[in-house]
Amino acid sequence: RRLYDIQALDVARMACKSSVALLYEQGGGKTTTMAHWAVLRGYRADGAVVDGFTITGGCADGVAYDSHGGGMINYKRGRQGPPGGSRKGYSPVVRHCIFVENFAQDGGAVYNYDRGKPRFIDCVFEKNSSFYGGAVLDRVGVYAEYQACIFRNNRSKWGGGALYLDYGSRPKIIDCRFTANHTSSGHGG
């Protein structure tokens, strides 16, 4: 049974009218628009805490750095150093957040890179899409932690409907639920 058409990602990509993601504060039964972000970028984000937001509508459809992480990108912009060089990945703590309907070429909602150690606690990743890593892409020795997270209805074209782990990344996955994630042409729904 085919859940998603391969062309669905192309439609999502073409629907990206801008690279603006909306950041909402949750609480008290109201949702308030807090800010408009191109995407949540990792500048000075090492050790930062992001708590209780909905990140939606992000579109990272550019070139290189600007094609990663429709909702959040966790690394310093710039050239990658030699193996064993200084770490470029950031390690924020993200709690009680919802990433929904974001698109990127790599990591629909989140892109983690280069030995970062981000932690995601009690987060929901839903209806995000990309070519690799429908919800999240961890690349180059990332040691992310996902605890009590829900990955639901995310899709990718080539691999990792929910998570795509690349180049030695080794996440810790604790008490998470994976439901109805799909990849059209690769491995790992």
Side-chain angles (χ1 to χ4, degrees), residues 18-26 31-41 50 52-60 69-72 97-103 108-109 128:
S18 70
S19 61
V20 174
L22 299 178
L23 180 65
Y24 295 104
E25 180 181 30
Q26 302 168 339
T31 302
T32 306
T33 302
M34 295 297 292
H36 295 249
W37 297 66
V39 286
L40 288 176
R41 302 252 182 198
V50 179
F53 289 93
T54 296
I55 297 129
T56 187
C59 181
M72 175 180 273
C97 288
I98 299 169
F99 293 85
V100 63
E101 296 181 354
N102 297 288
F103 172 82
N128 300 289

Side-chain angles (χ1 to χ4, degrees), residues 20-146:
V20 174
L22 299 178
L23 180 65
Y24 295 104
E25 180 181 30
Q26 302 168 339
K30 294 184 179 181
T31 302
T32 306
T33 302
M34 295 297 292
H36 295 249
W37 297 66
V39 286
L40 288 176
R41 302 252 182 198
Y43 299 115
R44 301 176 195 220
D46 220 15
V49 176
V50 179
D51 194 334
F53 289 93
T54 296
I55 297 129
T56 187
C59 181
D61 193 26
V63 177
Y65 186 83
D66 295 323
S67 67
H68 303 315
M72 175 180 273
I73 186 167
N74 289 314
Y75 79 94
K76 298 175 194 172
R77 186 179 197 133
R79 185 177 296 208
Q80 180 181 351
S86 65
R87 173 177 65 89
K88 287 198 176 268
Y90 286 116
S91 303
V93 175
V94 182
R95 299 186 297 228
H96 312 111
C97 288
I98 299 169
F99 293 85
V100 63
E101 296 181 354
N102 297 288
F103 172 82
Q105 292 179 40
D106 288 334
V110 176
Y111 184 88
N112 300 311
Y113 183 70
D114 195 19
R115 297 168 284 161
K117 297 178 182 177
R119 295 180 64 209
F120 296 86
I121 302 162
D122 195 27
C123 291
V124 176
F125 298 88
E126 184 169 21
K127 297 180 183 176
N128 300 289
S129 59
S130 72
F131 295 113
Y132 292 94
V136 177
L137 189 145
D138 288 349
R139 181 169 279 157
V140 185
V142 169
Y143 287 90
E145 181 179 311
Y146 303 94

